[in-house]
Amino acid sequence: MALPFSSPRPAVPAAFEKLQTLIELEFTESTLKFYMNGTKVELQNPNPEWTLLDFIRSQHGSKGTKLGCGEGGCGACTVVLQSVDTRQKGKLRHMAVNACLFPLVGVVGKHLITIEGLGNVENPHPLQERISKLHGSQCGFCTPGIVMSLYALIRNSYDPLSKVFRLSASDIELEGHLDGNLCRCTGYKPILSAAKTFILEDLGGNLVETPSDENIGMTVDKDGKDVLYRSEVIPESLLKKSAVSCGRPGGCCRDKPNASTTCSGGDSTETTSASEESLSASDEESSASSHSLNETEIMGAEYGKPIKSRVRDPPPGKEGEGTKTGTVLDAPPPANDDGNLNLEFLPYTPATELIFPPSLRKFEKTPICYGNSKKIWLRPTTLDQVLALKDLDPTIKLVGGASEVQVEVKFKNSQFAVSVFVAEIDELKDMVVPESKEDLSAMTEFVIGANTSLTDLEYACKSLYRSLGRRGLVLEACRKQLRYFAGRQIRNAASLAGNLATASPISDMNPVLLASGATIMAKSLALGEFPLPMDSFFISYRKTSLPANATITKIRVPIPAAETQEVMKAYKQAKRKDDDIAIVTAAFRVRLDNKGSVEDICLAYGGMAPFTTQAKKAKGVLQGLKWYDSRTLDAGLKALGEDFNLNFGVPGGMATYRKTLALSFFFRFWHEVVKELELGEVDEDLINEIHRGISHGARDNKNPYEQRVVGKQVPHLSALKQNTGEAEYVDDMPHQDRELYGALVLSSRGHAKYEIDWSPAIGPGLAIGYVDKNSISKEQNLWGSVIKDEQFFADGEVFSHGQTIGMVYAETALQAQAAARAVKITYTDLPVILTIDEAIEQKSFYKHGRMLKKGIAIDGNIEDAFSKCDRIVSGTTRMGGQEHFYLETNAALAIPHIEDGTMEVWSSTQNTMETQEFVSQVTGVPSNRINARVKRMGGAFGGKESRSVPIAAILAIAAKKEKRPIRCMLNRDEDMMTSGQRHPIQARWRVGVMNDGKLVTFDADIYNNAGYSYDMSGAVMDRCCTHVDSCYEIPNVHIRGHLCKTNTHSNTAFRGFGGPQAMFIAESYMTAVAEELGMSVDDLRIKNLYKQGEYTPFLQQIDIDWHIPQLFKETKEQCNYEERKAAIEVFNKKSKWKKRGMAMLPVKFGLSFATALHLNQAAASIKIFADGSVLLHHGGTEMGQGLYTKMCQVAAQELNVPIDAIFTQDTASYHTANASPTAASSGSDLNGMAVKDACDQLNARLAPYWAKFGQSASMKTIAHAAYIDRVNLAANGFWKMPKIGYTWGNYDVKTVKPMYYYFTQGIGCSEVELDLLTGDHTVLRTDIKMDVGRSINPAIDYGQIEGAFVQGQGLFTMEESLWTQDGQLFTRGPGTYKIPGFSDIPQEFNVSFLQDVEGGWKHLRSIQSSKGTGEPPLFLGASVLFALREALVSARRDNGVKEYVALDSPATAERLRLAVGDDILRMGTVEPKGERNFFVAVA
């Protein structure tokens, strides 16, 4: 067969000429054959640029698999590949992989299972149902990927022969099966609870099923083709039942539409009552209480028949509207028995799972070639074919799991004309694991096939180490590094050979192989098989000694003899424990002679040089020395310092931290060897790294304010759809007729003049057009939420890396992206301002000028107040920014209509009004012709309040130009470069205080880094200034805010909107004052708490709604604060190398659009149809926070209907005009009151009919009667927030109006443990108590609190944004920017609500007396930082360091380690000699 080009065949491109003969002789197949969700797929010569994800999302009805990052770092694209594991006697294997990376050719011969294959809303998989009912889904964008990772784990744990699940709760959390999945909303706790209860309750840990009477085999015809077949393990009883349906939870091919699921055992559901962790009053969620017989049920609405089809003059007894259909909730709330929740779940029946297509068991591999004239894929079946290809063309790219290759293609624009998929070559996967005692005793080496997956290797090393004991320490070192290498999906697909060939200088495994003395075996046609010793394998950066025409075949790892005194250990430090690239990684091996002296040693490091390297000076110094001698340790540390004499500006930065880690690892290793070989006594704390246990926690599910609907723990109304992949996001919307795809052309410079040539991007296979500054007028080109100072398209000069220059559009997304890369831009660089300090020095500010004054500062001089203080404490507090990292990047779809210039704009936005207004501006039509719509967002957190506008407007410009629909979804790096983040803040403050701890005076200049445009930076600074008092009364205050103009992206709204930064400043000065006075910071806080009647710096009086003192008191008691504090003191006295700390912080967060008074309004419309169904629209948008659910609860409560009678389709500017953005935690307050207003109007009109038919009547009866009487069944509600209206500059307490409607309050207490050698830490316990008023939906509010806390934990301890010196954003994806993962959350995580308040919040004039919960809890994540600081203080005291430690945010592992103040740090300190740090932090 010829190369797979269309006929007549063109001339063979030069790139393929060398391979032509071999391909035409042996690679005769160009069709990819596999199964997808039980359906056979034959894909003829597909696009060679496609990944597996590209194929999946090209298929109709397969949009549940999401694109979250494109680099395998978030898990949103997780799918499962089902195949036969030939090494385990044909057992089925379920491999979770990242579809965004995995080569499409890799699915050949496998069964591809996506989220749609598990179940749907009508017939969900029990796992999908459980996660939805237990509130494990908020925005839902990450949910399908998490479900698929859990699905693979569960399927792999089942043995169909013994019918036993070998699985425990620890497998879920401690073995890394979810480490490749990220969630930004939930805080992970409810997901883990759902997964663990599924195992403990549905599977019973080791669930043994009732064995069937006979072994049921596959049904295959004589040709091996599929016929109707059934699972090998379906019990006979179920087979007899299922003549119509097999009962598979996801639905059977024989099911009729909406057929109910048949389950073995009779009942279709099982009931779970309150149990220890997940569902009790001490933990998981949801609530529904008993109600009177006359009350309308919470769900189960029925709808009347069409008016015109009803019988006229019906006979007696047949009157009324009849019933045409009914509805129920997808995920009903549980019954709440005094805080104990009872939920019903579908039972799990393994026999009804999607089965492996029998014909695939007989699948025969054939060589495959497919592609086009630019790129081809080859899939050889033998090693000889690979060697022949390599011999003909050494430049071909060998690809296994593509975890590195696809990142190079997508983000580095690498082009590989010939890619060869080698992961399925059997000769390269051999790995013999001896099992018998004899074989284990005789074992001298462990031979690993080059293409053995890292997961298989991890498990093999774990098994062998158990058998070999100390002889297997090298394998334990391998296992340890592999456990924390990337995510499970990557480990499933990646191989050791791929890891070696990429030669990363920060590889986790390469130091292990180097230290162990491993040998790489390679093979080529010319040389045959030959060895490559590890100690000479790495030559320079990304270069190895592997000949270009050879391939790695196996790796030989030596195993020492039983009598050998040899120890090997491996170490790694990263920003995050799970799924993170190393900062420094190391592996050490030492062999001692019978006198205890060093016979052989190897100290291998990654992250300390351009390639994996040995510490050669240290090796020479240590050779022959007696190990158990402190002088040996000292000599080793000194020699290592000489081996790694890094300069301050070393690429990658962190010179001092990296050198200190290199020394700290050796220090730990020296002690571990002493312990392992029993040479002496060592401190266990020193040799034991931090490891977490299984997390657990509590929620208080008692709710004294629960009503019929409001107050119940109704699961998110979209939760089940999100779990089944049926929830639709913007990029999931069906392809429109003649639709085009856009790709932005962005600046690659921080500040520069530029010239551009679009012509290389336009042409066949690339773009068909573009838009830029010339597409609209200069006036149209300006936009901004507050000040119009930002350009949609740069105009000759760019002011930030990632600023939009233009957009190309093409027939496909891949073509558009290729075209964007082809645009030629010539830059002339200009100076950049990046940091706040640089902006201050160069006086680069936006006009702002707002300040707050209180006390003497109003009419006098603040210095007079300072002069009366006993002490003055001053300091500078710095806090970095934070990337939103919503899982769904910014996306939009513009659909133009020829008639009247109207346009429909679907956008992932929090702000339909601003989207509508600026699309109107750029298209030149009035707003009434632009319908801005959003159904849901995959997370937002403020990042889609204003920064979603440009992409929608730019698409609208192109759509108008081409008169065709155009869509675009940003890649993760594009989104992070363009969307801005939380404002970095710097405060320079002074506090005047009396010796008894009473605060007297506060003076501060607060600076935020606004970026290259104004955006909402002024409003962020306003909120920051009004929260810098936190909960503390200070009589005299002068606060000034400044906005720094820099060349970073334009920073914007982010959950908390300046509040978290302000309260961090407050707790920083409180900590400094406490240490200056020598008093407990807890006592200082209590002493200075506001009292009722006192005034804030913006002169708002603290009123009856002040509960911080009560919250402090209750939280201290409930979390045993004093006892635990005393225990920590005891621990720290005993432990030198690990320290613990605890901190308890308050939060007071003002609710309202502070000084943007006009935004404090909302509208809603309700339409009751004649059948009794209710359509609800309001201006609020759904981003995972459950606003749609809460508003439906409010409407259902007010209208006396079941909640499923209420439906909200989307948020649209045509339904709700002039909608305020869904932000400031006011979505429920504003829209809820507007909904209530509409309900009140309707209730007034319907009152006569309720009186006539009674309160037990259904809405179908009421609506029918009202319609017949010509009553208006539609109402528009409106509400504006009363009493607020603060005016800046008004210092008269008699006339100034409140800035905030009320304050949401809370307390957070966290306890941590810190490893002083590495800076690594774990959160042992967190307790949160929040005043949320009377919760509309406690489950949703708990989810908001836990999710906000974990996001705050990331902000204050982990998430660090970095720039290069020339102004490029470095952290622009999950590979470089780390948000918390599953294993970062508190090990014990307890959350409760304040309940017993005098008056029961009747004074609140908010909807249902509830309070906003979205933003306030985020700051409580700072309790982790301040607890870590307490641990540091203890360590520094031990080390004789007396200076005050100002711990800036984020308190990364680097920052923590560099503050310990020990001798190793002093040895590792690198002083600058004129160099600048490689990276820039802009606070």
Side-chain angles (χ1 to χ4, degrees):
M1 174 179 169
L3 287 155
F5 306 135
S6 58
S7 185
R9 200 167 41 139
V12 176
F16 312 139
E17 279 182 349
K18 298 175 183 175
L19 306 176
Q20 181 181 0
T21 303
L22 179 61
I23 290 174
E24 292 180 345
L25 184 66
E26 296 196 32
F27 292 79
T28 58
E29 179 66 77
S30 63
T31 302
L32 309 189
K33 299 174 182 178
F34 57 96
Y35 277 74
M36 178 174 174
N37 297 329
T39 300
K40 182 182 283 187
V41 177
E42 295 191 355
L43 204 57
Q44 174 61 39
N45 197 37
N47 187 337
E49 301 292 346
W50 271 3
T51 61
L52 178 55
L53 180 63
D54 293 320
F55 161 73
I56 291 169
R57 291 187 60 82
S58 74
Q59 302 302 294
H60 177 71
S62 296
K63 296 295 195 292
T65 308
K66 308 299 186 192
L67 174 63
C69 69
E71 56 179 275
C74 74
C77 64
T78 304
V79 297
V80 170
L81 297 179
Q82 189 184 43
S83 59
V84 176
D85 191 340
T86 52
R87 284 181 303 194
Q88 294 197 41
K89 301 175 183 176
K91 182 184 175 183
L92 291 180
R93 175 175 190 157
H94 300 80
M95 186 168 76
V97 298
N98 295 116
C100 71
L101 297 179
F102 198 79
L104 177 56
V105 69
V107 299
V108 170
K110 297 184 178 69
H111 185 195
L112 167 62
I113 304 175
T114 69
I115 191 70
E116 291 83 5
L118 271 63
N120 53 39
V121 168
E122 285 75 29
N123 292 291
H125 189 283
L127 181 61
Q128 294 169 321
E129 183 212 35
R130 186 175 284 262
I131 293 175
S132 65
K133 285 186 174 180
L134 295 184
H135 316 286
S137 177
Q138 289 186 21
C139 87
F141 201 81
C142 67
T143 307
I146 291 171
V147 170
M148 295 310 295
S149 288
L150 288 169
Y151 178 76
L153 172 63
I154 290 163
R155 292 296 305 267
N156 282 332
S157 71
Y158 182 66
D159 182 354
L161 298 177
S162 63
K163 304 185 179 68
V164 171
F165 282 96
R166 306 203 179 275
L167 197 57
S168 68
S170 66
D171 290 307
I172 291 287
E173 199 166 348
L174 304 183
E175 298 301 320
H177 293 287
L178 289 172
D179 57 6
N181 293 88
L182 295 177
C183 173
R184 194 56 153 163
C185 298
T186 64
Y188 301 105
K189 180 183 165 188
I191 302 171
L192 289 170
S193 294
K196 287 184 284 193
T197 58
F198 181 80
I199 286 171
L200 296 173
E201 294 170 11
D202 270 4
L203 309 185
N206 290 333
L207 178 69
V208 180
E209 287 188 43
T210 305
S212 55
D213 293 334
E214 59 183 292
N215 194 19
I216 302 162
M218 300 170 291
T219 308
V220 182
D221 72 9
K222 61 183 179 181
D223 297 318
K225 296 178 181 176
D226 301 336
V227 297
L228 289 174
Y229 55 82
R230 60 200 185 202
S231 168
E232 299 94 310
V233 293
I234 299 179
E236 187 70 22
S237 58
L238 186 57
L239 280 173
K240 290 176 181 175
K241 283 185 181 180
S242 355
V244 176
S245 169
C246 73
R248 189 173 77 82
C252 170
C253 58
R254 302 180 191 177
D255 281 342
K256 294 179 181 177
N258 297 319
S260 61
T261 304
T262 305
C263 302
S264 61
D267 295 334
S268 62
T269 59
E270 61 183 36
T271 300
T272 300
S273 62
S275 61
E276 181 209 347
E277 149 130 340
S278 67
L279 310 173
S280 67
S282 69
D283 196 334
E284 265 339 312
E285 34 255 88
S286 292
S287 76
S289 64
S290 60
H291 47 78
S292 68
L293 293 173
N294 291 328
E295 269 194 345
T296 303
E297 293 284 349
I298 189 172
M299 70 170 195
E302 293 184 342
Y303 308 102
K305 289 181 177 178
I307 294 283
K308 293 180 181 178
S309 67
R310 293 175 193 159
V311 177
R312 294 181 183 275
D313 303 318
K318 299 291 184 182
E319 300 90 344
E321 61 288 334
T323 301
K324 66 179 175 186
T325 190
T327 56
V328 293
L329 291 174
D330 292 339
N336 189 343
D337 180 13
D338 194 30
N340 292 311
L341 306 178
N342 296 304
L343 300 100
E344 290 188 341
F345 295 108
L346 292 169
Y348 178 64
T349 310
T352 59
E353 284 283 18
L354 193 65
I355 72 170
F356 187 66
S359 65
L360 289 181
R361 289 188 181 270
K362 296 187 175 183
F363 182 82
E364 294 185 5
K365 299 177 183 177
T366 56
I368 293 172
C369 170
Y370 72 94
N372 56 30
S373 59
K374 294 180 180 178
K375 179 182 179 72
I376 61 171
W377 273 93
L378 298 171
R379 182 186 165 113
T381 57
T382 67
L383 177 58
D384 287 343
Q385 288 171 340
V386 177
L387 298 177
L389 290 166
K390 265 285 192 183
D391 192 61
L392 291 169
D393 184 0
T395 67
I396 62 175
K397 190 70 174 179
L398 301 188
V399 181
S403 53
E404 181 88 12
V405 171
Q406 186 56 31
V407 170
E408 292 177 12
V409 169
K410 189 173 182 72
F411 298 104
K412 300 178 183 177
N413 200 18
S414 300
Q415 301 294 323
F416 304 111
V418 182
S419 295
V420 182
F421 182 71
V422 296
E424 298 295 322
I425 305 293
D426 289 335
E427 298 113 299
L428 298 179
K429 296 171 78 172
D430 288 340
M431 179 177 64
V432 179
V433 181
E435 295 180 359
S436 70
K437 287 185 177 180
E438 294 77 11
D439 289 342
L440 287 165
S441 297
M443 193 176 181
T444 59
E445 65 176 4
F446 182 37
V447 182
I448 305 161
N451 278 354
T452 302
S453 79
L454 299 183
T455 288
D456 286 344
L457 179 57
E458 177 189 349
Y459 292 158
C461 289
K462 185 176 183 178
S463 170
L464 281 170
Y465 174 59
R466 284 178 183 152
S467 302
L468 291 170
R470 200 177 74 214
R471 287 183 67 212
L473 279 172
V474 60
L475 304 179
E476 170 58 11
C478 287
R479 182 213 61 80
K480 179 184 173 187
Q481 297 300 73
L482 289 170
R483 164 62 182 85
Y484 297 109
F485 177 92
R488 176 61 66 191
Q489 297 92 320
I490 298 288
R491 297 197 293 275
N492 284 339
S495 67
L496 206 50
N499 194 48
L500 285 163
T502 56
S504 168
I506 50 175
S507 162
D508 297 340
M509 278 301 295
N510 291 344
V512 177
L513 298 175
L514 176 56
S516 70
T519 301
I520 297 167
M521 301 304 296
K523 194 172 186 179
S524 69
L525 277 187
L527 300 175
E529 192 166 57
F530 55 93
L532 294 169
M534 275 297 299
D535 59 8
S536 57
F537 185 70
F538 301 108
I539 299 170
S540 61
Y541 179 70
R542 299 277 185 178
K543 300 289 184 188
T544 71
S545 61
L546 180 69
N549 65 346
T551 186
I552 297 171
T553 56
K554 57 179 76 84
I555 298 94
R556 298 181 178 274
V557 180
I559 304 295
E563 65 277 4
T564 307
Q565 292 277 88
E566 184 168 299
V567 175
M568 181 163 174
K569 299 287 180 178
Y571 307 94
K572 172 184 176 178
Q573 184 59 42
K575 293 182 180 181
R576 184 177 69 199
K577 187 77 171 178
D578 279 354
D579 188 10
D580 194 4
I581 55 176
I583 297 169
V584 176
T585 179
F588 306 145
R589 178 183 58 83
V590 66
R591 186 167 67 244
L592 305 184
D593 61 21
N594 54 14
K595 295 180 181 178
S597 299
V598 177
E599 189 175 282
D600 185 34
I601 190 168
C602 181
L603 308 176
Y605 283 92
M608 297 301 294
F611 52 93
T612 302
T613 187
Q614 291 189 60
K616 293 183 179 176
K617 282 187 180 177
K619 179 183 176 79
V621 166
L622 293 170
Q623 199 77 35
L625 294 183
K626 187 176 179 64
W627 188 261
Y628 188 44
D629 186 326
S630 61
R631 290 171 296 181
T632 301
L633 175 59
D634 294 339
L637 290 170
K638 183 180 177 184
L640 282 170
E642 296 171 4
D643 271 311
F644 302 115
N645 189 22
L646 304 180
N647 73 65
F648 188 77
V650 64
M654 299 186 280
T656 293
Y657 185 44
R658 286 157 67 183
K659 187 172 180 179
T660 302
L661 281 174
L663 301 176
S664 297
F665 286 163
F666 177 74
F667 186 78
R668 176 163 276 160
F669 175 67
W670 186 89
H671 289 85
E672 285 199 80
V673 173
V674 172
K675 164 79 172 177
E676 197 75 50
L677 299 180
E678 299 178 350
L679 303 176
E681 294 293 323
V682 297
D683 187 338
E684 293 288 338
D685 269 346
L686 170 55
I687 63 173
N688 291 329
E689 297 179 32
I690 284 180
H691 293 288
R692 61 183 284 120
I694 299 174
S695 64
H696 63 284
R699 290 178 176 179
D700 181 4
N701 289 313
K702 290 184 179 179
N703 183 8
Y705 306 107
E706 183 179 300
Q707 303 172 56
R708 182 182 63 87
V709 182
V710 165
K712 285 208 184 320
Q713 299 197 26
V714 178
H716 194 294
L717 294 179
S718 293
L720 190 55
K721 292 191 284 284
Q722 291 164 353
N723 274 271
T724 62
E726 293 167 272
E728 188 178 77
Y729 302 81
V730 171
D731 199 49
D732 300 335
M733 293 178 65
H735 178 86
Q736 307 291 306
D737 183 43
R738 301 180 68 243
E739 182 179 317
L740 297 170
Y741 294 82
L744 297 182
V745 177
L746 305 174
S747 164
S748 62
R749 297 292 199 277
H751 186 201
K753 301 275 189 183
Y754 71 91
E755 293 179 358
I756 190 166
D757 179 8
W758 293 95
S759 59
I762 310 299
L766 291 169
I768 66 168
Y770 67 92
V771 289
D772 68 354
K773 63 175 183 174
N774 300 309
S775 303
I776 50 177
S777 69
K778 285 187 180 293
E779 187 177 348
Q780 286 175 314
N781 196 30
L782 287 175
W783 79 282
S785 291
V786 180
I787 298 171
K788 290 175 68 173
D789 69 334
E790 185 173 347
Q791 299 165 330
F792 285 116
F793 303 114
D795 189 356
E797 183 175 354
V798 290
F799 298 93
S800 170
H801 178 220
Q803 186 177 351
T804 302
I805 295 172
M807 183 184 76
V808 293
Y809 43 86
E811 297 290 347
T812 71
L814 287 176
Q815 287 175 348
Q817 290 161 9
R821 292 192 292 267
V823 175
K824 288 222 162 56
I825 307 174
T826 305
Y827 294 96
T828 304
D829 288 319
L830 297 170
V832 294
I833 298 173
L834 297 176
T835 70
I836 290 174
D837 288 332
E838 289 169 352
I840 293 171
E841 183 183 341
Q842 300 190 38
K843 296 181 172 58
S844 180
F845 298 108
Y846 294 99
K847 186 178 180 181
H848 185 61
R850 285 182 171 175
M851 62 181 69
L852 293 174
K853 296 180 181 180
K854 177 184 172 185
I856 199 170
I858 295 175
D859 298 313
N861 190 332
I862 195 75
E863 298 304 326
D864 293 340
F866 276 110
S867 67
K868 297 173 183 175
C869 298
D870 290 336
R871 303 192 193 201
I872 298 173
V873 183
S874 62
T876 299
T877 299
R878 292 178 174 86
M879 180 170 163
Q882 184 181 28
E883 165 58 33
H884 302 88
F885 216 98
Y886 30 69
L887 267 290
E888 179 206 29
T889 59
N890 271 291
L893 167 63
I895 307 172
H897 302 289
I898 302 301
E899 188 175 356
D900 301 322
T902 62
M903 188 176 290
E904 195 170 31
V905 180
W906 288 91
S907 175
S908 185
T909 183
Q910 297 171 243
N911 199 338
T912 54
M913 181 181 177
E914 198 163 296
T915 302
Q916 178 192 38
E917 287 191 317
F918 282 107
V919 169
S920 166
Q921 172 181 303
V922 298
T923 55
V925 299
S927 290
N928 65 356
R929 301 186 191 191
I930 305 298
N931 188 15
R933 303 179 70 180
V934 55
K935 189 176 186 70
R936 63 172 58 84
M937 287 164 273
F941 313 112
K944 297 175 181 176
E945 185 176 347
S946 65
R947 307 311 298 177
S948 59
V949 169
I951 185 174
I954 290 168
L955 286 170
I957 295 165
K960 179 183 178 183
K961 176 182 175 182
E962 294 294 335
K963 298 181 174 59
R964 295 173 67 175
I966 302 186
R967 89 168 69 200
C968 177
M969 181 177 181
L970 298 183
N971 287 325
R972 176 62 58 185
D973 61 328
E974 295 170 334
D975 192 277
M976 293 180 75
M977 288 157 59
T978 59
S979 64
Q981 55 181 240
R982 185 185 300 281
H983 286 72
I985 291 272
Q986 184 184 125
R988 301 176 179 184
W989 48 262
R990 291 184 298 153
V991 178
V993 62
M994 306 309 289
N995 285 332
D996 66 354
K998 183 61 183 165
L999 302 178
V1000 176
T1001 310
F1002 179 70
D1003 179 77
D1005 285 287
I1006 305 175
Y1007 303 85
N1008 73 17
N1009 191 327
Y1012 82 95
S1013 74
Y1014 189 90
D1015 196 76
M1016 290 181 277
S1017 299
V1020 170
M1021 179 53 72
D1022 291 346
R1023 182 173 282 272
C1024 184
C1025 290
T1026 59
H1027 282 70
V1028 78
D1029 60 323
S1030 188
C1031 298
Y1032 311 116
E1033 204 279 327
I1034 310 176
N1036 305 289
V1037 174
H1038 192 188
I1039 302 165
R1040 299 162 296 279
H1042 312 271
L1043 317 180
C1044 296
K1045 185 176 185 178
T1046 65
N1047 295 114
T1048 71
H1049 45 27
S1050 186
N1051 290 315
T1052 190
F1054 194 146
R1055 196 178 202 168
F1057 204 75
Q1061 294 98 312
M1063 290 180 277
F1064 177 68
I1065 296 166
E1067 295 304 336
S1068 295
Y1069 66 68
M1070 291 295 283
T1071 303
V1073 168
E1075 291 203 9
E1076 170 68 23
L1077 295 172
M1079 71 184 293
S1080 159
V1081 70
D1082 294 320
D1083 293 340
L1084 184 70
R1085 289 184 182 115
I1086 297 297
K1087 186 177 188 69
N1088 289 283
L1089 286 179
Y1090 278 116
K1091 299 179 184 66
Q1092 195 173 322
E1094 293 178 333
Y1095 289 89
T1096 68
F1098 46 98
L1099 306 183
Q1100 181 165 339
Q1101 191 174 36
I1102 299 297
D1103 61 16
I1104 188 175
D1105 185 40
W1106 180 242
H1107 307 302
I1108 287 291
Q1110 182 181 349
L1111 284 161
F1112 255 124
K1113 181 175 180 292
E1114 291 185 12
T1115 307
K1116 273 192 172 184
E1117 292 172 358
Q1118 289 169 7
C1119 73
N1120 301 315
Y1121 185 73
E1122 296 300 338
E1123 296 93 323
R1124 288 167 56 206
K1125 207 170 175 187
I1128 287 170
E1129 197 168 331
V1130 171
F1131 177 90
N1132 287 343
K1133 282 180 180 175
K1134 291 181 178 177
S1135 174
K1136 184 179 179 182
W1137 301 104
K1138 289 195 179 63
K1139 297 292 182 181
R1140 290 183 179 177
M1142 187 161 62
M1144 180 179 287
L1145 305 181
V1147 61
K1148 167 179 69 68
F1149 192 90
L1151 266 291
S1152 79
F1153 284 97
T1155 51
L1157 185 63
H1158 63 283
L1159 295 180
N1160 293 289
Q1161 60 174 304
S1165 65
I1166 296 179
K1167 302 173 183 70
I1168 302 177
F1169 294 94
D1171 68 349
S1173 60
V1174 181
L1175 183 64
L1176 168 63
H1177 283 107
H1178 50 80
T1181 58
E1182 177 59 58
M1183 62 197 88
Q1185 86 283 37
L1187 180 65
Y1188 277 14
T1189 304
K1190 284 187 173 182
M1191 295 304 96
C1192 286
Q1193 284 181 267
V1194 169
Q1197 183 73 40
E1198 298 294 334
L1199 293 175
N1200 192 35
V1201 297
I1203 189 172
D1204 49 298
I1206 314 287
F1207 176 66
T1208 302
Q1209 182 186 18
D1210 56 35
T1211 302
S1213 53
Y1214 273 14
H1215 291 306
T1216 311
N1218 311 317
S1220 295
T1222 308
S1225 298
S1226 61
S1228 294
D1229 285 343
L1230 295 174
N1231 294 288
M1233 291 298 271
V1235 169
K1236 185 178 184 302
D1237 181 41
C1239 291
D1240 289 345
Q1241 296 172 44
L1242 289 166
N1243 282 336
R1245 297 174 204 161
L1246 296 177
Y1249 301 94
W1250 288 112
K1252 177 179 178 181
F1253 294 104
Q1255 286 298 308
S1256 61
S1258 65
M1259 182 56 83
K1260 66 177 182 174
T1261 301
I1262 304 297
H1264 174 235
Y1267 169 77
I1268 294 297
D1269 286 351
R1270 297 180 295 172
V1271 171
N1272 181 5
L1273 292 176
N1276 290 316
F1278 179 80
W1279 190 71
K1280 62 178 182 179
M1281 195 174 278
K1283 86 177 184 179
I1284 59 172
Y1286 179 83
T1287 303
W1288 286 86
N1290 182 355
Y1291 300 116
D1292 183 352
V1293 294
K1294 296 178 181 177
T1295 61
V1296 69
K1297 290 186 176 180
M1299 183 174 290
Y1300 298 111
Y1301 196 46
Y1302 60 81
F1303 295 102
T1304 295
Q1305 301 149 58
I1307 299 287
C1309 176
S1310 292
E1311 181 182 355
V1312 302
E1313 184 168 306
L1314 174 66
D1315 182 342
L1316 301 184
L1317 276 180
T1318 62
D1320 206 10
H1321 77 272
T1322 185
V1323 183
L1324 298 172
R1325 177 173 169 177
T1326 291
D1327 295 87
I1328 296 174
K1329 196 171 194 70
M1330 291 295 299
D1331 163 24
V1332 300
R1334 298 181 178 182
S1335 174
I1336 293 173
N1337 186 321
I1340 285 175
D1341 287 341
Y1342 275 131
Q1344 287 291 287
I1345 292 164
E1346 291 165 355
F1349 175 85
V1350 172
Q1351 198 172 57
Q1353 182 186 343
L1355 165 65
F1356 290 107
T1357 66
M1358 184 184 300
E1359 300 181 40
E1360 185 176 33
S1361 296
L1362 297 170
W1363 278 256
T1364 60
Q1365 291 287 349
D1366 60 2
Q1368 288 195 346
L1369 178 66
F1370 173 73
T1371 46
R1372 51 181 192 260
T1376 50
Y1377 186 87
K1378 296 299 172 181
I1379 70 171
F1382 277 91
S1383 65
D1384 297 303
I1385 67 171
Q1387 295 189 45
E1388 182 177 348
F1389 197 178
N1390 306 311
V1391 185
S1392 61
F1393 295 156
L1394 185 65
Q1395 298 284 18
D1396 301 316
V1397 169
E1398 189 176 341
W1401 292 281
K1402 290 178 182 175
H1403 54 277
L1404 279 183
R1405 294 165 65 191
S1406 62
I1407 184 66
Q1408 292 286 339
S1409 297
S1410 65
K1411 289 187 174 186
T1413 57
E1415 296 174 284
L1418 184 137
F1419 171 68
L1420 298 179
S1423 63
V1424 177
L1425 179 144
F1426 285 98
L1428 287 166
R1429 189 187 173 281
E1430 291 294 309
L1432 271 181
V1433 168
S1434 174
R1436 289 164 67 86
R1437 192 183 300 122
D1438 288 354
N1439 290 317
V1441 182
K1442 297 178 180 178
E1443 292 89 356
Y1444 176 80
V1445 56
L1447 188 58
D1448 290 333
S1449 175
T1452 59
E1454 176 192 13
R1455 195 162 276 159
L1456 292 166
R1457 180 63 185 93
L1458 268 52
V1460 172
D1462 60 314
D1463 291 337
I1464 296 175
L1465 173 63
R1466 282 185 275 277
M1467 294 175 68
T1469 298
V1470 178
E1471 298 292 348
K1473 298 173 183 175
E1475 318 102 317
R1476 293 195 297 175
N1477 204 327
F1478 188 77
F1479 290 124
V1480 180
V1482 298

